[in-house]
Amino acid sequence: MGGLMLILSLCLWAGSMFVVQGEDPYIFFTWNVTYGTISPLGVPQQGILINGQFPGPNINSTSNNNIVVNVFNNLDEPFLLTWNGVQQRKNSWQDGVLGTNCPVPPGKNYTYHFQVKDQIGSYIYYPVIAMHKAAGGFGGLRINSRLLIPVPYADPADDYTILAGDWFSKGHTSLKKILDSGRNLGRCDGVHINGKVAKGDGKDQPLFTMESGKTYKYRICNVGIKTSLNIRFQGHPMKLVEMEGSHTVQNVYESLDVHVGQCYSVLVTANQEPKDYYVVASTRFTRQMVTATGIIRYTNGKGPASPELPPAPVGWAWSLNQFRTFRWNLTASAARPNPQGSYHYGSINITRTIKLSNTAGKVDGKLRYAINGVSYVDPPTPLKLAEYYNVADKVFKYDNIADDPPAKISEITLEPIVLNLTHRTFIEIIFENRETAIQSWHLSGYSFFAVAIETGTWTPEKRKNYNLLDAVSRHTIQVFPNSWAAILLTFDNCGMWNIRSEIWDRHYLGQQLYVSVLSPARSLRDEYNKPDNSLLCGIVESMPKPPPYSI
Ligand SMILES: *[C@@H]1O[C@H](CO)[C@@H](O)[C@H](O)[C@H]1NC(C)=O
Ligand SMILES: *[C@@H]1O[C@H](CO)[C@@H](O)[C@H](O)[C@H]1NC(C)=O
Ligand SMILES: *[C@@H]1O[C@H](CO)[C@@H](O)[C@H](O)[C@H]1NC(C)=O
Ligand SMILES: *[C@@H]1O[C@H](CO)[C@@H](O)[C@H](O)[C@H]1NC(C)=O
Ligand SMILES: *[C@@H]1O[C@H](CO)[C@@H](O)[C@H](O)[C@H]1NC(C)=O
Ligand SMILES: *[C@@H]1O[C@H](CO)[C@@H](O)[C@H](O)[C@H]1NC(C)=O
């Protein structure tokens, strides 16, 4: 705890520039974002590259590292990256969403500067504007445990990242046009694994290699647009060890459902006949199953992978039951952003219950997706900047959706949505999926206890079914059709935080909102100052800079 106090006191005198925190190491990246040719489904098309790469470079960091990424936008349109699951303690300035950051104009750059404070685990970054994510610009982000903190499994022989996702070959500009004109994206054209698919003609290069007898860590994330994936290795079960920043109870799975925006770390032991094997990603809950494979090669292996793929599970119930097997390992030590709030969350009184119900409908004849009857639109001024410059009232209204929406929502309005949450209160959020498609929700700035997913309608009596002991602390949760999911957490991280559907057409057409957690005294103890290099846009662009937060 001495370290924590030291960091706290350093923050107090750190002034208005980047917050320099003790001796925690810095890692620097310069990223050049460009268009380029990619072939995720085997056919060349335009994609978004970072330093010439698709997927983008992997960020390999250790808990508490300071990460500095200077992003040069060499596209012909505004661009912005978010760091999905990085908690940005006191620092929503670096979250990289349109509620906190102005987009980087074409030909310009912006330097992100954040600390991966008290976190471990497997994460992804991706572009948030327009439909850029459908063209690339995404990549993996690892936060390793510091050496002095024990990890509840032996060091793997190597550490691999699998980024799998559905793919639409139309390109991001056409996809945006389809959504802007009020039409539906329809079915994906394929699935890729790390930007490729194996052809199965015996000439495929392996994605990864394994040595007989050794155990490997695979970080598996769904970087897709809208489709849940089932991931499995031919002949090799997976031992689940980590999920979105938490060490889990180490159950063994033949396959895992990974919903959009989610990441899981598993251990795989190379204990089979040495040859090639497929890793398989196939779509879930789609009328037609689409499958992609990649080669995993034994270094001393002889022979191709068997064409016989392990079968995918069928139906929703399987996925729901799998969710219920996920448990947090309460005895594993690990960096946690809020150790006080981590334990005994089941005995904290709930101060506010917010039900967020997603619906779809038409506005002026065009498809929109809504939460509690409001479909989110980004104002030209980022919400956080409007708050900082004291002009929030000119940009949005707080609490403009009801905490308990009516059972039937018929009308949809278009507005920004911002909930005013009181700092340090313990809140229950119910995600109610009133649609017939799967949802995947993400909350920035926090991890939450994913205490329940059930079919039907939530009522307060359902609380007795919550896992109040060892629910996994994570940052995304899926909600099956006509089902609900409940999360619990303490809102102890000041800032403007995005709750978004990770289903990207829904996100683009309005299923997102922000929660504002304000430091009542504008205190540096609770929140960092706006960085000096923040880009400005909207009504704050020409305004005088307000006085900074102080002690
Ligand atoms: C980024 O890439 C483009 C296209 O390859 C190139 O013209 C430009 O010089 C690069 N910029 C930087 C900063 O490397
Ligand atoms: C990632 O970082 C860890 C810890 O600093 C280091 O041990 C490992 O070799 C790095 N891996 C890669 C692929 O750079
Ligand atoms: C753009 O990059 C330069 C270095 O090339 C850096 O000095 C400057 O701060 C960056 N701009 C922003 C807004 O971060
Ligand atoms: C939980 O972590 C502890 C401590 O590292 C480890 O010994 C134990 O095997 C783990 N338990 C399970 C069920 O995975
Ligand atoms: C929680 O609420 C119960 C019942 O309202 C009350 O008895 C108890 O003191 C509260 N606990 C805390 C820690 O506030
Ligand atoms: C937010 O809620 C708090 C009470 O919890 C209240 O004091 C404050 O005025 C509200 N802020 C706004 C901007 O509505």
Short mmCIF file of all heavy atoms in Angstrom, two decimals, residues 70 72 109-111 533 535, ligand 3:
data_model
loop_
_atom_site.label_atom_id
_atom_site.label_comp_id
_atom_site.label_asym_id
_atom_site.label_seq_id
_atom_site.Cartn_x
_atom_site.Cartn_y
_atom_site.Cartn_z
N ASN A 70 1.70 7.59 -30.11
CA ASN A 70 1.49 8.75 -30.98
C ASN A 70 0.88 8.24 -32.29
O ASN A 70 1.55 7.56 -33.06
CB ASN A 70 2.81 9.48 -31.20
CG ASN A 70 2.60 10.88 -31.75
OD1 ASN A 70 1.48 11.26 -32.12
ND2 ASN A 70 3.67 11.65 -31.82
N PHE A 72 -0.62 8.76 -35.89
CA PHE A 72 -0.69 9.66 -37.05
C PHE A 72 -1.77 9.16 -37.98
O PHE A 72 -1.70 8.03 -38.47
CB PHE A 72 0.66 9.69 -37.78
CG PHE A 72 1.71 10.45 -37.01
CD1 PHE A 72 2.39 9.84 -35.96
CD2 PHE A 72 1.99 11.78 -37.31
CE1 PHE A 72 3.34 10.54 -35.22
CE2 PHE A 72 2.94 12.49 -36.58
CZ PHE A 72 3.61 11.88 -35.54
N ASN A 109 -2.05 14.18 -35.87
CA ASN A 109 -1.74 13.11 -34.93
C ASN A 109 -2.22 13.46 -33.54
O ASN A 109 -2.49 14.62 -33.24
CB ASN A 109 -0.23 12.85 -34.90
CG ASN A 109 0.55 14.01 -34.30
OD1 ASN A 109 0.51 15.13 -34.83
ND2 ASN A 109 1.23 13.77 -33.19
N TYR A 110 -2.37 12.45 -32.72
CA TYR A 110 -2.69 12.65 -31.31
C TYR A 110 -1.91 11.62 -30.50
O TYR A 110 -1.86 10.45 -30.86
CB TYR A 110 -4.20 12.50 -31.05
CG TYR A 110 -4.51 12.51 -29.57
CD1 TYR A 110 -4.30 13.66 -28.80
CD2 TYR A 110 -4.96 11.36 -28.92
CE1 TYR A 110 -4.54 13.67 -27.44
CE2 TYR A 110 -5.21 11.36 -27.55
CZ TYR A 110 -5.00 12.52 -26.82
OH TYR A 110 -5.22 12.52 -25.47
N THR A 111 -1.32 12.07 -29.40
CA THR A 111 -0.54 11.17 -28.56
C THR A 111 -1.35 10.76 -27.34
O THR A 111 -1.66 11.59 -26.49
CB THR A 111 0.77 11.84 -28.10
OG1 THR A 111 1.39 12.44 -29.24
CG2 THR A 111 1.70 10.84 -27.46
N ASN A 533 -2.30 18.34 -24.59
CA ASN A 533 -2.33 18.07 -26.03
C ASN A 533 -3.71 17.64 -26.53
O ASN A 533 -3.84 17.30 -27.71
CB ASN A 533 -1.28 17.01 -26.40
CG ASN A 533 -1.67 15.63 -25.91
OD1 ASN A 533 -2.32 15.51 -24.87
ND2 ASN A 533 -1.28 14.60 -26.63
N LEU A 535 -7.04 17.34 -28.30
CA LEU A 535 -7.57 18.06 -29.46
C LEU A 535 -8.89 18.70 -29.03
O LEU A 535 -9.60 18.16 -28.18
CB LEU A 535 -7.79 17.07 -30.60
CG LEU A 535 -6.54 16.29 -31.03
CD1 LEU A 535 -6.91 15.23 -32.07
CD2 LEU A 535 -5.48 17.23 -31.59
C1 LIG B 3 2.07 15.02 -32.73
O1 LIG B 3 3.37 14.47 -32.79
C2 LIG B 3 4.40 15.34 -32.32
C3 LIG B 3 5.70 14.62 -32.50
O2 LIG B 3 5.88 14.26 -33.82
C4 LIG B 3 4.18 15.65 -30.89
O3 LIG B 3 5.15 16.58 -30.46
C5 LIG B 3 2.80 16.27 -30.71
O4 LIG B 3 2.54 16.45 -29.33
C6 LIG B 3 1.75 15.33 -31.27
N1 LIG B 3 0.45 15.98 -31.21
C7 LIG B 3 -0.48 15.65 -30.31
C8 LIG B 3 -1.76 16.43 -30.40
O5 LIG B 3 -0.37 14.77 -29.47
#
